[in-house]
Structures are given as structure tokens and as C-alpha cells.
Amino acid sequence: MKELVRPARLAPGARVAVVAPSGPVPEERLRAGVDVLRGWDLDPVLGPHVLERHGDFDYLAGTDADRAADLQAAWCDPSVDAVLCARGGYGVQRMTDLLDWEAMRAAGPKVFVGFSDITALHEAFATRLGLVTLHGPMAAGVDFIKNARAQEHLRATLFAPETVRTIASGGSTLVPGRARGVTLGGCL
């Protein structure tokens, strides 16, 4: 795989879209996460369907087409500098084939943040768009809104990525040394 393109760091006043490509989002948690983003002097905007629930499957945040449309519109909006997922959960893989990857490639690189089953989008952004993405906390996640350390780490990563050099996961080194290359991963 060729080297991936890194998006530009965010600056105060940056517009960030919050979308729900997977599971439904409790409104009070979304509000709390958006408040954190505003506290960083970001301008958060919500996808039109971010608080919806699918009519037949209440574990999905709206229909596959609506979730895909929110992500597509946010990514292709030239006024949006970053797209943050509201939460994970099952569902994102149901809508990835509904995205117009050519239009998203033409929109250029942006910051993209999420984890859990959002891994499917991280892999697609790497292979289809050649972009670096951030496997990180989500705007309406309890692990974000109630964790000052996670908030600070994400803020530093978004605004000053050169200050975030160590990824601590609690694991141990299997083989000592140095390596260079493209790291892909996520939650399986």
C-alpha cells in the first residue's frame, strides 16, 4: 500500500460534522459531546439524521440510505473540516456501498474520527481514498464525555498532532526494535 495522505490539523473555529453511521445516539450524550467540542472553539454541526432510529431495527440510527447520506454530505461539504462519528455499534457496513467514493475522493482529505464498527470506514478510507483516519473516541460516547484524559488526547491529536507521539494500549512489545510503514487496524 502506498503512503496514506494525512489531513490538515484543525484550528480554532473549524467546522466539524457529527454523524451517526451506525447505532442510535442518546440526545443527552450527543449534547454533552457537542458541548465539549464547542469548548475547544470548534463549530459542530449535526447530520440531519443523527438522532433518528430505524423504523424496523431500533439498533440502527435511521435507514442505511439516511446514514450514508449524512456521512456523504458532511464529507463533501467544503465548509466542513472534520467528520466525527457520534457512536459505533452495528450498522456501518450496511451503508458503505451506498457512498459515492469518487465524490468523496474529489472532496479531498479531512479528519475522520471513530472506532468500534467504524473500523469498516477506516479501512475503506485507507483503501479507497488513500487517507489517514483517526481511530479515536466518538462525540456521544460515554468513554469521551466522561473521560477528561480521552478528551485531552483527542483535542491534542486534532489541533497539535505532533505532540501526540505515544499510543498506550497496555500491550507489551513482542519483538524489540523500530519499524516504519502503514499501520492499519481497528476493532474486529
Side-chain angles (χ1 to χ4, degrees):
M1 177 179 280
K2 66 180 182 174
E3 190 156 333
L4 302 176
V5 174
R6 293 179 184 268
R9 72 184 65 212
L10 297 184
R15 192 164 200 226
V16 296
V18 179
V19 298
S22 297
V25 181
E27 186 173 1
E28 65 280 355
R29 286 196 350 223
L30 181 62
R31 243 190 335 263
V34 166
D35 286 346
V36 170
L37 299 174
R38 282 193 184 109
W40 297 347
D41 198 23
L42 293 173
D43 177 21
V45 294
L46 302 179
H49 303 98
V50 74
L51 290 171
E52 288 186 10
R53 282 187 183 260
H54 191 285
D56 296 322
F57 307 114
D58 65 354
Y59 51 85
L60 296 173
T63 66
D64 298 344
D66 286 344
R67 294 190 325 276
D70 279 3
L71 175 59
Q72 180 89 39
W75 192 265
C76 293
D77 182 339
S79 73
V80 170
D81 302 298
V83 177
L84 283 65
C85 295
R87 66 157 283 190
Y90 173 79
V92 72
Q93 70 279 18
R94 294 171 47 112
M95 50 73 86
T96 54
D97 287 339
L98 300 176
L99 297 169
D100 181 345
W101 293 100
E102 291 302 317
M104 291 175 72
R105 182 178 297 108
K110 295 180 187 213
V111 173
F112 178 76
V113 183
F115 77 98
S116 184
D117 81 324
I118 302 303
T119 295
L121 287 172
H122 289 297
E123 296 296 327
F125 277 56
T127 58
R128 295 181 185 207
L129 304 181
L131 298 179
V132 169
T133 56
L134 179 59
H135 186 265
M138 294 183 274
V142 172
D143 55 323
F144 175 67
I145 60 176
K146 296 188 181 281
N147 185 330
R149 184 174 176 219
Q151 290 174 18
E152 180 51 33
H153 193 81
L154 180 59
R155 190 198 61 72
T157 303
L158 295 175
F159 288 98
E162 69 282 357
T163 67
V164 183
R165 294 286 184 190
T166 303
I167 300 173
S169 65
S172 61
T173 303
L174 298 177
V175 179
R178 292 183 162 265
R180 182 173 178 85
V182 174
T183 303
L184 298 175
C187 300
L188 298 176

